[in-house]
Amino acid sequence: MFKTIISKILQMIIVLFVLTTITFILMKLSPGNPVNKILHLDTSQVSQSQIKATEHQLGLDHSLLGQWWHWFSQLLHLNLGTSYQTGAPVSKEIMNYIVPTLIITFGTLILSMLVSIPLGVIAAINYHKTLDKMIRVLTSLSVSLPSFFIGLILLFIFNQKLNVLPTSEDGSIAAYILPIITMSVGMCAYYIRLIRSNLLEQYRSPVVEASRLRGMSERYILFHDIFKPTFIPIIPLLGLSVGSLIGGTVVIENLFDIPGLGYFLVDSIKSRDYPVIQGCVLFIGFFVVIINTIADITTLFIDPKQRYNQSAKTNIFNFAHLRHYKKEGDDDEV
C-alpha cells in the first residue's frame, strides 16, 4: 500500500510537470502579446521605450527557456507568480474564483449519482421491458445533446420564460441549480448505462450461480455478489469524471455568467495573462490528480482483490529475484 501511494505521488509530479510545460509552450506559440492588453495599445499611443520597459518588467524580453525557468523556479518556492492584469498573487486570485467551480463540480457528482444509481438498477431489473427501453432512449438522447445546448434550453425556460430560477447576479445558491442540472444530464446518461450493464454482467456471473448452489440467501447474493462488484469499479471512474467536469465548467460558467475558475481562465486567456493561465492549469491538474489518487486508494481499501493484485506484483518480483539469486549460487557451487 505504501509503495502504491509513493508511486501515485511520483506519477502526479510527472503529470503536472508535463502539463504545465506543454501549456507554457502553447501559450508562447499562440499569437498575441500581454503588453498590448496591459498598455491598451489598441486605443492609446505608447512609445516604443515604454513597451520595452514593460516587457523587461514582466520578463518577456528573456528567451523562451529563460522565461520558463523563471516561472519554474518560482513554483519550486510555492509561488505561482503575479497577475499581469491585477498585480495580485495568482494563488490569491485562484482562491477567489475556486468556490463556484467546486460547488458546480461536486454538486454535479452528487446529483448524478442520486439519479444514476436508482435508474440504472431499475433498468437492469426491467431488462428488455418497456421501462428499460424508455430509460435507454432517454440516455441515448442525453448523450447526443451537447451541454451548452441543454444549458441554453434550461436558461430560456426556467429563467427567461418562467422566471423561477435566478442567475448568478442574485448571488444565491439557487443560481447553481441550472448549471448543475446542465452538467448532470450527460453524466447521468453515462453512469446509468454503466450501472445497468455491470449489474446484468454480475447477475449472470459464475460467482452468483456458485452462491446459489451453496444455499446463500438472495439478500446476501444481491449485496455481496452483485451490488458490491458493480459499484466498486465506479469509484475510480468518479475520480476521472472530476477532470471532465472541471473542464466542462469552462463552458458552463461562461454560459451562466458564474464567476468561477473556468470563467476566470477564459478571461485570462483573452488578456494573455500568462501567470494566471499557468496557475489555473496547474491548480486544476493538481486537483484532478489528487482526486484520482484518493479514488484509487479508496478502491484498494474497499476491494480486497485490488490489494491482492498489488501485493501479487511485489511477490512475483521478489520470487523472480530469488530464483535469479539461487541460479547464481548454483553456478558458484559448480
Side-chain angles (χ1 to χ4, degrees):
M1 181 68 69
F2 180 74
K3 291 182 178 179
T4 303
I5 296 175
I6 295 298
S7 174
K8 294 292 182 182
I9 293 175
L10 292 176
Q11 291 176 15
M12 178 184 69
I13 294 173
I14 295 172
V15 168
L16 293 178
F17 177 79
V18 174
L19 178 64
T20 53
T21 303
I22 293 176
T23 305
F24 182 86
I25 294 173
L26 291 177
M27 284 192 307
K28 294 301 180 180
L29 293 178
S30 62
N33 192 335
V35 177
N36 298 343
K37 298 289 183 180
I38 295 172
L39 299 179
H40 304 285
L41 296 182
D42 298 333
T43 57
S44 60
Q45 295 291 333
V46 180
S47 63
Q48 193 67 26
S49 60
Q50 189 173 356
I51 295 175
K52 291 183 178 180
T54 304
E55 289 180 347
H56 179 73
Q57 181 182 359
L58 299 177
L60 298 176
D61 55 345
H62 298 161
S63 64
L64 182 63
L65 182 60
Q67 293 180 47
W68 177 85
W69 176 249
H70 175 71
W71 178 84
F72 186 72
S73 60
Q74 285 184 320
L75 182 62
L76 293 177
H77 293 86
L78 302 180
N79 182 10
L80 296 178
T82 305
S83 171
Y84 291 163
Q85 299 298 316
T86 64
V90 174
S91 56
K92 183 179 179 180
E93 293 279 10
I94 291 176
M95 290 299 107
N96 292 334
Y97 288 93
I98 190 60
V99 174
T101 300
L102 294 181
I103 292 175
I104 295 175
T105 300
F106 288 103
T108 302
L109 281 176
I110 294 171
L111 179 61
S112 299
M113 290 300 100
L114 290 176
V115 174
S116 301
I117 292 175
L119 288 183
V121 173
I122 291 172
I125 293 174
N126 297 275
Y127 177 64
H128 272 191
K129 295 181 181 179
T130 303
L131 196 56
D132 178 33
K133 293 178 181 178
M134 290 176 58
I135 292 175
R136 282 192 291 167
V137 169
L138 289 175
T139 55
S140 299
L141 182 63
S142 301
V143 170
S144 62
L145 294 176
S147 59
F148 71 87
F149 180 73
I150 298 173
L152 287 173
I153 294 176
L154 294 177
L155 192 62
F156 177 76
I157 295 174
F158 293 100
N159 184 262
Q160 300 296 323
K161 289 296 183 181
L162 301 179
N163 197 22
V164 293
L165 290 175
T167 60
S168 61
E169 296 176 357
D170 299 334
S172 61
I173 195 66
Y176 295 97
I177 294 178
L178 288 180
I180 289 174
I181 293 175
T182 300
M183 297 192 66
S184 298
V185 171
M187 190 172 178
C188 284
Y190 172 76
Y191 279 100
I192 288 171
R193 288 182 169 187
L194 179 64
I195 292 171
R196 174 185 177 274
S197 61
N198 284 356
L199 282 173
L200 293 175
E201 182 181 355
Q202 295 301 326
Y203 184 78
R204 300 164 181 167
S205 65
V207 176
V208 173
E209 296 180 4
S211 295
R212 287 200 174 99
L213 291 175
R214 293 199 306 269
M216 296 294 184
S217 64
E218 288 297 322
R219 183 177 180 181
Y220 174 86
I221 294 173
L222 182 64
F223 287 98
H224 187 271
D225 294 334
I226 297 179
F227 278 0
K228 186 177 179 181
T230 295
F231 291 106
I232 285 178
I234 294 178
I235 296 176
L237 291 177
L238 287 174
L240 293 174
S241 297
V242 171
S244 61
L245 287 176
I246 293 181
T249 57
V250 174
V251 177
I252 299 303
E253 287 174 0
N254 282 272
L255 177 63
F256 290 95
D257 197 25
I258 294 178
L261 195 61
Y263 185 92
F264 182 48
L265 179 59
V266 171
D267 188 60
S268 301
I269 292 173
K270 292 178 182 178
S271 59
R272 298 296 188 272
D273 199 339
Y274 295 152
V276 172
I277 298 172
Q278 283 286 92
C280 288
V281 171
L282 181 64
F283 183 86
I284 292 173
F286 177 78
F287 183 77
V288 171
V289 172
I290 285 293
I291 293 296
N292 288 331
T293 303
I294 293 174
D296 292 339
I297 294 174
T298 303
T299 306
L300 290 177
F301 277 109
I302 295 176
D303 189 6
K305 293 181 180 179
Q306 296 290 336
R307 295 198 299 269
Y308 174 78
N309 290 337
Q310 292 293 332
S311 62
K313 292 178 181 179
T314 306
N315 292 336
I316 290 173
F317 173 78
N318 292 337
F319 181 70
H321 178 73
L322 182 62
R323 284 195 307 173
H324 181 67
Y325 175 76
K326 287 182 177 180
K327 185 176 180 180
E328 290 180 348
D330 294 340
D331 292 340
D332 292 339
E333 291 179 359
V334 175

